[in-house]
Amino acid sequence: GAGVSQSPRYKVAKRGQDVALRCDPISGHVSLFWYQQALGQGPEFLTYFQNEAQLDKSGLPSDRFFAERPEGSVSTLKIQRTQQEDSAVYLCASSLPRQEDSNQPQHFGDGTRLSIL
Amino acid sequence: AQSVTQLGSHVSVSEGALVLLRCNYSSSVPPYLFWYVQYPNQGLQLLLKYTSAATLVKGINGFEAEFKKSETSFHLTKPSAHMSDAAEYFCAVSEGSGGYNKLIFGAGTRLAVHP
């Protein structure tokens, strides 16, 4: 089935390196979310896109984190000058637009496990 | 701000026993509530969602949850546990504004099922 696809599944980087994580949402899903899941914790919201517009980046922990979705489909989360505390699983989710009296469920990818040495 | 509290980070049950995973939420408006399951090295899979249509919500794999406004609870239950139910379970509330909803998750409950 055509679910949310994330790559790479695993990424190991040295402290100070830049990394880029990719998310390919379900076709037709205009809403795209990024979450960060630290070990033993629930996911925490990072940022939201509606098509190509980044409408909410309130959860990005620092200016080293940058996300884009230039054509309203594939999204990339970039982390510059990585630090050990960036080690986590990064989850991408997509959904249809919110409806007035309902709430579209978010469909999650399998995540990218990032380890910073 | 909305929040979710999951009581019990670890729950262990015998195969065939009742599963009860607790979730309490804090919200100033009628909430949208969700339960997700996460298997090792996988993303989150939606079990069920509450959207005010009915207080008792049935989900996949035999799970159900009951919304109790007076208790601000949305506990997840399954009458008979199966070995394949062993996983991490997350309760989430949807916080929405501006035409989209971001999820606020609890810390999760790890369910172990033993023979």
Side-chain angles (χ1 to χ4, degrees):
Chain A
V4 177
S5 178
Q6 291 188 247
S7 61
R9 286 297 316 278
Y10 304 91
K11 176 69 178 178
V12 180
K14 293 182 179 180
R15 186 165 55 92
Q17 289 182 330
D18 298 348
V19 297
L21 313 180
R22 175 189 169 105
C23 172
D24 202 336
I26 294 173
S27 178
H29 281 192
V30 302
S31 296
L32 187 145
F33 302 80
W34 283 98
Y35 293 85
Q36 181 190 58
Q37 185 176 19
L39 187 65
Q41 300 295 320
E44 292 189 355
F45 171 82
L46 292 177
T47 188
Y48 166 73
F49 289 86
Q50 184 177 79
N51 294 306
E52 70 280 2
Q54 188 175 20
L55 300 184
D56 187 342
K57 51 183 180 180
S58 62
L60 296 177
S62 77
D63 58 7
R64 296 185 296 103
F65 286 71
F66 172 76
E68 61 183 5
R69 194 186 184 196
E71 298 180 358
S73 179
V74 171
S75 177
T76 303
L77 177 66
K78 298 179 180 178
I79 309 174
Q80 297 176 327
R81 304 181 303 282
T82 53
Q83 300 178 4
Q84 283 191 323
E85 60 261 32
D86 299 334
S87 296
V89 175
Y90 291 84
L91 295 167
C92 176
S94 70
S95 73
L96 294 169
R98 180 188 181 202
Q99 296 179 351
E100 185 175 336
D101 60 351
S102 183
N103 191 291
Q104 298 295 340
Q106 294 179 24
H107 300 266
F108 284 81
D110 286 341
T112 294
R113 183 177 297 275
L114 177 63
S115 299
I116 304 300
L117 304 179
Chain B
Q2 295 172 321
S3 65
V4 172
T5 301
Q6 292 185 241
L7 297 176
S9 59
H10 291 80
V11 170
S12 182
V13 300
S14 299
E15 190 174 20
L18 171 71
V19 175
L20 171 61
L21 304 182
R22 300 178 186 274
C23 172
N24 289 88
Y25 68 91
S26 170
S27 174
S28 59
V29 299
Y32 293 122
L33 294 161
F34 304 81
W35 275 100
Y36 281 87
V37 60
Q38 186 176 38
Y39 297 99
N41 297 318
Q42 294 186 22
L44 282 73
Q45 179 182 2
L46 180 67
L47 278 177
L48 50 82
K49 64 175 182 176
Y50 167 75
T51 57
S52 77
T55 57
L56 183 63
V57 182
K58 294 187 182 299
I60 62 172
N61 300 340
F63 284 93
E64 62 182 35
E66 185 173 8
F67 173 71
K68 292 187 177 181
K69 184 178 179 180
S70 61
E71 299 177 6
T72 62
S73 69
F74 190 57
H75 300 332
L76 182 71
T77 60
K78 181 175 181 177
S80 177
H82 192 272
M83 297 295 288
S84 61
D85 295 326
E88 186 98 24
Y89 292 80
F90 293 95
C91 181
V93 64
S94 179
E95 183 173 277
S97 62
Y100 68 98
N101 294 81
K102 59 188 178 186
L103 295 174
I104 310 298
F105 287 90
T109 297
R110 183 169 299 278
L111 176 66
V113 182
H114 51 87

